């Protein structure tokens, strides 16, 4: 059939609408390709994106293990270095009660307070130098010590009393190159062994349920506690006496005097001149 002018007009209109819709869809596709929407594999923009970060558990645990290994190796190196120290404590553990009995009693009945005082004194009362446990454990320097050192030290001496005493001891040893005598090592080792034996007996008593073993474990626990607090008190007294020596409370250190003037003897003198000697003496 013949087509009139109206049909041509409708066809042109439909084609123009079709072209406009195609143009609009092309603009939409181009806009999406330029946005952050997911693109097809192999696209250039996808290849330029940075790789995703690794999971939290994979990213952090290896670094933590490396830091722990480095801290352990550093601790072992320091322990080996202390074996080469040549100075000795001014008073050994067996003589601390006789050296300063009142302070030893104070350290026995108020150990955390004495530990706080001795650590602050070991730092020359400069709390800006304070680090948790004197930097001898992996968490040292990561507990917010710089913001509130006094509060952190209080927390350390009350919650980690044994570590606080040992850290002050290591601090003084490294500062003055002090070694621990064999007798002191035996006393400290006996304290640790007694605590381990008491712990083993307590575990066995809970498993077996025997009344005799429970009584033995209680006796051992009581003995280990007495030995622990006694040795800690003697150690803190030893630290206090050493710092008294450092601060000059035992008097000024001895000063070497200049030797007296002496006159050289000549060959023709049978007896040397008496200047500078206690009394004249002769040869032969």
């Amino acid at each position: 059939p013949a087509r009139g002018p109206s049909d041509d007009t409708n066809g042109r209109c439909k084609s123009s609408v079709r072209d406009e819709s195609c143009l609009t869809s092309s603009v939409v596709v181009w806009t999406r390709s330029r946005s952050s929407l997911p693109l097809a594999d192999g696209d250039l923009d996808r290849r330029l994106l940075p790789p995703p970060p690794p999971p939290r558990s994979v990213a952090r645990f290896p670094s933590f293990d490396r830091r722990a290994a480095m801290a352990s190796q550093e601790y072992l190196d320091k322990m080996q270095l202390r074996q080469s120290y040549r100075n000795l404590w001014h008073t050994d553990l067996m003589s601390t009660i006789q050296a300063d009995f009142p302070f030893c009693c104070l350290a026995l009945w108020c150990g955390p307070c004495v530990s706080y005082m001795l650590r602050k004194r070991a730092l020359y009362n400069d709390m800006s130098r304070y680090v948790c446990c004197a930097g001898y454990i992996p968490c040292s320097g990561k507990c917010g010590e710089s913001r509130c050192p006094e509060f952190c030290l209080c927390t350390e001496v009350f919650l980690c009393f044994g570590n606080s005493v040992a850290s002050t001891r290591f601090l003084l040893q490294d500062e003055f190159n002090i070694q621990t005598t064999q007798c002191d090592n035996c006393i400290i080792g006996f304290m640790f062994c007694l605590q381990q034996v008491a712990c083993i007996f307590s575990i066995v008593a809970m498993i077996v349920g025997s009344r005799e073993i429970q009584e033995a474990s209680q006796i051992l626990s009581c003995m280990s506690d007495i030995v622990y607090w006694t040795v800690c008190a003697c150690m803190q007294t030893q630290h206090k006496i050493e710092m008294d020596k450092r601060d000059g409370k035992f008097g000024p250190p001895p000063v070497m005097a200049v030797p007296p003037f002496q006159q050289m003897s000549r060959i023709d003198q049978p007896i040397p001149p008496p200047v500078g000697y206690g009394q004249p003496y002769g040869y032969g």
Side-chain angles (χ1 to χ4, degrees), residues 8-73:
D8 296 337
T9 304
N10 293 334
R12 287 195 299 270
C13 292
K14 290 180 180 179
S15 61
S16 62
V17 171
R18 189 183 302 112
D19 295 338
E20 185 179 357
S21 63
C22 292
L23 180 60
T24 304
S25 61
S26 300
V27 172
V28 171
V29 171
W30 181 82
T31 306
R32 289 183 178 180
S33 65
R34 301 292 295 177
S35 64
S36 58
L37 294 177
L39 301 175
D41 295 337
D43 196 283
L44 180 60
D45 293 340
R46 177 175 291 275
R47 291 197 299 268
L48 294 177
L49 291 176
R56 186 181 300 268
S57 59
V58 177
R60 292 190 177 182
F61 286 169
S63 60
F64 176 78
D65 294 338
R66 287 194 297 269
R67 289 195 299 268
M70 292 175 61
S72 301
Q73 185 62 34

Side-chain angles (χ1 to χ4, degrees), residues 227-243:
V227 172
Y228 173 76
W229 287 105
T230 303
V231 172
C232 286
C234 292
M235 289 176 64
Q236 297 207 90
T237 307
Q238 188 181 45
H239 303 163
K240 185 256 183 185
I241 295 174
E242 192 67 30
M243 283 186 281

